[in-house]
Structures are given as C-alpha cells and as structure tokens.
DNA sequence: CTGAAAGCGCTTACAG
DNA sequence: CTGAAAGCGCTTACAG
C-alpha cells in the first residue's frame, strides 16, 4: 500500500556501531558478545543483548565475511535433472539446509551443470566456507578441482580415486548383498535383478558398480544365480519384467529403480508381490512403505546428516586432512505383504 | 595428495589491487572495467582483462556487497515438503537458478519452514538483493513482512490480498475453465472432477479456489453439471474414481492431482482413457506426455522465467512499485489417445 | 573484563 | 578517459 521507499532514502538498518552506542560499550564488545570469543561480564552482555533486540540488529553478512574470513555459507552442488529422482534429491537437500541452519549457516544453491567452474567460482569469490557436491561420478573432473581448492569439499558418492578425499555415501555394496541374501533366505536359487540402464552406467553414476559388486559377491557366496536385466530405456522396464517372469517359477526380483512401473507390470501379469513373486528393492523408507516392499533402505537424511557433520568438522578445524570414504550402513526393512512370502520352489 | 595447506598459510587469492598493479592501472579502473560503469579505453580494458585472466582474479563477494550495496544473490524460499510434488518444484528452482546465473547472480536456498523470520533474516543480514517466495498461501504471514522489507520480494502464487504486491502464477482459473470446456466439447453433460483433498484446502493452497472458480464458471456457461470428488486422503483416490464410474456412462474426468494413481484405478476397472473415459488434467508437459493426457499445461519453467524477469526489473530500478498479480496463461495440450475420443451420450 | 584502531577488498563520488 | 582516497560494517590483534 505504501511505497517501498517512503522517506526517500533506503532504510539503512542498524549497524554494530549503533548497537554499541545504544548499549554504551565499544563496537568490539558487541562483536564479542555475538561471537562468544571472549569473556563478557553478565551485566555487559545483558545490556548489549537488549540493545540488539531493541534495534533488531542483524550483522551485515558481507562485512562479516570480509573482516572475519568466513562466510557462514555452505554451497551445495545439485544435479537438477529430475531423472535422478527429484524426491530423493529434495530429502538430501532439505537435511543439508536444516543442518546448516542449526549452526546458523546459509546454503548457496549451485547447479551441477556449471561443472568444475562452479566450484572455482564459489571458492574464488569467497561465497562459502565449504561445498557439498552431490552425486559425484566415478570419474569426475570436480574431484581434481576440489583437491586444489583452499576450502573443504565434501562429496556425496564415492569417486574412483577417493584417497585423501572427503566423501561419503550410502553403502550400496552392502545393500546389494543384503537384497540378494534376503531372496536366498526365501529359498531362491535364481535371482532376477532389474538394474540400471546402460545410460546410468555410461554416465559413470558411481553407485552402480558398487551395488553390482555387492550383489555378485553374495550371490557367489550363497550359490545363487544372478540374472541381470538392464532396461534399454524407460520403455523397456516392462520388457525386463516379462523376461524375468518367463521362467515360470515364482520369481525373486531385486529392483533398483523404476519401482512403481515395475510393480504395475507385475500386477498386469497377475503376480502379487509376496505370493506370486518375492520382490525386494533399493528404496527410501517412504517408498518401501507405500509399495509394501522389503527394502535395503537408502536414507538420504542420514547421509546428509553425516555429510554436514564432516563439513563442520572441516570448517571448525582446517588442519584435518581428508578422512577418505565413509559408508552409511545399509539396513534391510521388511514391510507389508512381502514379509511372510515363501517361494514355490 | 598434498596437504590442503601446504605452505602453512592459506593461499589468499589475488585482489583487485594485485590486478591493478599487474596491469599498471588504478584499482578503480579495474573495478570499472569489470562493471562497465564508465568508459574505458580499449587498450586499458585489454591490459586489465589480461591481468585478470593471468591471475585468475575473482572479486571477493563480501567486499563487493559491502562497498556496492548489492550482493548479486537472490534468495529463494522453497517448501521442502515432497507432497508438493518434488519434480515440479525442481523445475521451478532449476529455472530460477539458471536465470540468476545468466545475470551472474547466485541463489541462496531458504526453507519455507523458517516462515516470516527467514525473510527478515536474509534481508536484515543483507544476504540478497531480492527474494522469491514459492507457493504463497491465500493468507500468508510472509506477505505482510514482504511489504515492510527494503528489498523486492516476488511471490509465486496469488495471495488473497495481492494489491501492490509482486506475485505471479500459472492461470489456474483459466485452466479450470479450459478443462471443463474441453469435456463439454466432447459432448459431456456431466463432468467429474477429482480435486484436491480437504488438507490442501485447509492449508490455504492459493490455487485451489482459483481453479475451482474457473471450472464452475465455465460449467455454468456450458450447462454442464460438475461433480466434485475430493479424496479424503491418498487412500481415497480409488474411491473417488469408483464413485465417478458408478454412473454407468462414459465418464468425463478432470484430474488435478494424483494422476498415475487415478489412471491405474481406471485401468483396474477396465476403462481405457480416450475410449471408455475422457480424461483431462492439470499437468506439466512431461506428465501429459507420459500419460497421454489432454492437459492444461502448467509449465513451471515459464512461470520461473517471468518471475525472474520481474525480480531483475525490480533490482535494476528500485522505484518500480508492485505491479500486482500476473497470470501465465493456461494452454490446452491435446495428447495421445484422448485426442479423438468421443463420448457415448 | 574492555576499548581504540587497523584492516579485510571492494565501489564510488570527487577531482582532474 | 583515469587516479587517489574515503568509506562500506564488521573482526581481531594489540594494549590495558
């Protein structure tokens, strides 16, 4: 209703000098009250705090960054391609923002398609104190750049060469093993895996080989035969299901992706998970819940939480060297009708 | 492989003073070369640019913000609840980031659950030059705060009282009208609308009443009877479909949400869209495409693009008053088998 | 436990 | 077309 600029000059907002004057102390005391970096008498602290509240003072972020050599900002590099599963992505990001806010930090959003240049930019311009890179590839240019930057970079995902790097991820290898073991326990001698398509493999998505390694190792151990079905594209998901069903037995299926589509394809062929098929998968808790799936649960929030712990450890103590890869354990969650399922064989 | 801090002191990165020395000009000239705010001789410009490149100089964002009174950052307030449709959300956000980057701006990510305090914080700390608030409610505390802030706030969505505000959105009222008209054109005298649940209504999601108003107006105009089915919850989606099908005729359905579930429910009852049912909906282009749906297309990218045009218009000229609501037109996209469908009646 | 002052790295009048 | 200098609003040695 009113003009934004009623008095003709921008409302400037109070500075720490204003607060100092109001509280009858020096500017440095105001600063130390806010940072807690030196002892302040209770009386002084109270007066300063009251002045801050009265003036609704907020420190100027840029001035603080310039003088203090820290921005209180974490940059996060996000792959903005919805194929990656927008929902999972949001869970990662949400927890990153929440963890940052708990430490009174902000989050700068950078898109992955800026590539290595994005890392150089946010570091060069002193836009942040640390950066989180989501979905690092097996071979990823950003890894080399990260090593050369003068600020901490934490990766979600495990690149091929992770020595001296800070990276962590859900334990996809363990997950692959758990899922195959689950079907083996149910009596299956043959397990059909509906895996990632050739595109995911080509992109160097780092968890694909790790999952497959874990599945293979356990299959070998348990004497189970693994049949891989890699849909050529989205359209081939049903085809892969068809192929798995054509053996005639009650199938044991491991799903790593395209879960609703796969379940629909099963249902269209009259197979009820838990009765006519044993279906387990790689899924978030909420996916497992809504599909009644036994799942090796990938919990984005847990991973993000650990990532942010690492980030702040590195910010707080910049002598800490890269701690190398850290894996968030896979947990098998049995749900819904799959639970008591028993195969025919 | 090397320690992050090899020489014992942080690599400081070149400053504009270094560039000035290297190019044999003053610091102010470096600044003016970068900003283009005053004429520079070609020869000087070249020397400075070469020095910048040679030193890989990047300006310190905080120093720039402090001296220049602008941060080159846009804050975006995002509802991090996946119910809102993570995929749509990502499309909005992606385009916001891209538009910001085109103008060499960065994006600060703020979660909606900070509420009005989040707006006060990013403004008070001078963390950004403008803020975009996604999914404003019909009654939303953030609107009043926005009016009082000394920087531009642009809303996605149309709040109840939008006078003097900068807000824009997809034209849901027009979309409601288009969809009902489409079914009327196909000969339907009765249209079943699978609408939002009572929770969405209670939350004050601003586009629900707008859509319903548009649908009702067109229904009255065309002499069509509207039957609303508001699923009580996710579990009731199939129930709503069942109720719509129980009339016995070839139904005309308008879907506003839960599209895959609804289509599955239809298919389970043996109804093929475009033959045994005419189905239209509110959807993004990619949803319409993959479900073969005639859709009033909601194009997040278009909306974001317009939002960012507004944002930069306000940043570039801070005397512009709030322009009030702007609606991005609804477009009806006919796709797949629905196209030639004709009802029995 | 507190203060006076230098300095962080830019931008922008002011001056020529 | 260009330069010298003030100043943006903080933090942090330095001093007491």
């Amino acid at each position: 209703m009113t003009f934004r600029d009623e008095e003709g000059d921008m409302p400037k907002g109070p500075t720490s000098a204003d607060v100092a004057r109001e509280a009858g102390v020096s500017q440095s005391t105001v600063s130390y009250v806010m940072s807690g970096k030196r002892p302040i008498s209770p009386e002084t602290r109270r007066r300063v705090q009251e002045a801050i509240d009265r003036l609704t003072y907020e420190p100027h972020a840029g001035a603080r960054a310039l003088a203090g050599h820290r921005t209180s900002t974490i940059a996060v590099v996000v792959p903005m391609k919805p194929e990656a599963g927008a929902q999972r992505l949001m869970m990662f990001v949400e927890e990153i923002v929440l963890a940052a806010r708990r430490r009174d930090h902000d989050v700068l959003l950078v898109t992955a398609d800026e590539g290595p240049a994005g890392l150089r930019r946010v570091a060069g311009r002193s836009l942040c104190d640390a950066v989180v890179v989501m979905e690092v590839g097996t071979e990823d240019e950003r890894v080399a750049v990260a090593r050369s930057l003068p600020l901490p970079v934490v990766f979600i995902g495990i690149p091929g060469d992770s020595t001296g790097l800070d990276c962590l991820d859900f334990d996809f290898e363990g997950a692959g093993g758990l899922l195959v073991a689950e079907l083996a326990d149910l009596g299956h001698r043959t397990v059909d895996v509906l895996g990632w398509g050739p595109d995911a493999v080509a992109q160097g998505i780092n968890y694909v080989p790790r999952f497959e390694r874990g599945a293979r190792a356990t299959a070998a151990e348990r004497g189970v035969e693994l049949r891989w079905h890699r849909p050529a594209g989205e359209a081939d998901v049903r085809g892969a299901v068809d192929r798995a069903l054509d053996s005639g037995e009650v199938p044991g299926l491991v799903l790593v992706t395209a879960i609703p589509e796969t379940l629909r394809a099963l249902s269209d062929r009259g197979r009820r998970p838990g009765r006519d098929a044993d279906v387990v998968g790689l899924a978030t808790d909420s996916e497992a819940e809504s599909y009644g799936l036994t799942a090796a649960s990938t919990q984005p929030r847990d991973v993000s939480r650990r990532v942010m712990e690492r980030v702040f450890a590195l910010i707080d103590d910049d002598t800490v060297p890269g701690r190398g890869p850290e894996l968030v354990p896979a947990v098998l969650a049995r749900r819904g009708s799959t639970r008591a399922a028993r195969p025919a064989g």
Side-chain angles (χ1 to χ4, degrees), chain A:
Chain A
M1 258 26 131
T2 67
F3 291 119
R4 190 171 4 257
D5 212 347
E6 196 149 22
E7 305 306 327
D9 49 354
M10 273 310 217
K12 297 286 310 163
T15 69
S16 71
D18 297 325
V19 174
R21 199 175 312 115
E22 179 87 3
V25 299
S26 75
Q27 208 181 7
S28 58
T29 297
V30 173
S31 178
Y32 285 118
V33 165
M34 300 198 71
S35 70
K37 285 187 182 172
R38 83 179 180 189
I40 302 282
S41 75
E43 164 63 6
T44 302
R45 177 190 311 285
R46 188 187 55 73
R47 290 225 313 285
V48 170
Q49 193 54 58
E50 284 180 8
I52 287 175
D53 295 343
R54 206 171 319 127
L55 303 181
T56 65
Y57 166 69
E58 304 240 32
H60 186 289
R64 179 174 264 187
L66 180 57
H69 306 287
R70 44 179 58 238
T71 61
S72 296
T73 296
I74 312 295
V76 49
V77 183
V78 178
M80 289 281 190
K81 300 302 145 201
E83 306 90 62
Q87 185 137 332
R88 276 177 59 79
L89 215 86
M90 293 251 55
M91 295 176 77
F92 273 115
V93 172
E94 181 183 19
E95 187 58 38
I96 287 171
V97 177
L98 293 179
R101 292 298 308 132
R102 274 179 226 125
R103 296 263 322 232
D104 200 23
H105 281 239
D106 268 283
V107 169
L108 199 73
L109 187 62
V110 179
T111 56
D113 49 52
E114 278 198 67
L119 293 185
R120 290 211 183 81
R121 185 172 57 84
V122 295
R125 295 189 182 181
S126 298
L127 279 164
C128 59
D129 301 328
V131 15
V132 174
V133 178
M134 294 184 59
E135 212 161 276
V136 63
T138 304
E139 305 295 320
D140 197 312
E141 306 178 85
R142 295 171 300 184
V143 170
V145 173
R147 290 192 212 273
S148 76
L149 290 182
L151 48 68
V153 180
V154 177
F155 289 94
I156 300 182
I158 313 290
D161 174 13
S162 63
T163 49
L165 221 59
D166 289 283
C167 53
L168 44 185
D169 202 357
F170 176 72
D171 179 10
F172 283 92
E173 190 162 345
L178 277 178
L179 292 174
V180 170
E182 173 73 5
L183 290 177
D185 287 347
L186 289 174
H188 292 277
R189 313 293 306 158
T190 303
V191 165
D192 294 279
V193 186
L194 301 185
W196 290 273
D199 43 328
V201 177
Q203 273 181 252
I205 304 283
N206 75 88
Y207 47 72
V208 173
R210 289 191 281 136
F211 180 90
E212 300 194 353
R213 198 182 313 136
R216 285 213 179 77
T218 300
E221 223 169 68
R222 303 290 296 261
V224 162
E225 185 203 351
L226 240 44
R227 289 190 296 223
W228 294 86
H229 307 281
R230 293 193 183 75
E234 287 196 23
D236 194 36
V237 168
R238 300 184 85 92
V241 172
D242 287 341
R243 278 171 258 146
L245 294 184
D246 288 341
S247 71
E249 333 152 17
V250 170
L253 285 175
V254 175
L255 316 184
V256 298
T257 183
I259 288 169
E261 288 84 338
T262 314
L263 293 179
R264 216 178 314 157
L266 275 174
S267 142
D268 288 352
R269 292 211 32 185
R271 303 305 211 285
R272 288 153 300 176
R275 270 193 72 97
D276 317 304
D278 286 317
V279 187
V280 302
L282 199 56
T284 62
D285 276 2
S286 76
E287 287 169 335
E289 184 78 52
S290 64
Y291 296 117
L293 200 67
T294 293
S297 149
T298 68
Q299 309 211 44
R301 280 182 233 278
D302 287 347
V303 173
S304 285
R305 209 135 35 204
R306 302 283 274 275
V307 164
M308 293 306 278
E309 281 166 18
R310 186 88 139 241
V311 162
F312 283 115
L314 291 163
I315 286 178
D316 292 340
D317 178 1
D318 57 13
T319 69
V320 177
R323 285 190 223 165
E326 176 180 337
L327 297 175
V328 178
V331 178
L332 198 70
R334 289 188 187 76
R335 289 256 161 61
S337 56
T338 306
R339 177 156 206 164
R342 286 291 172 277

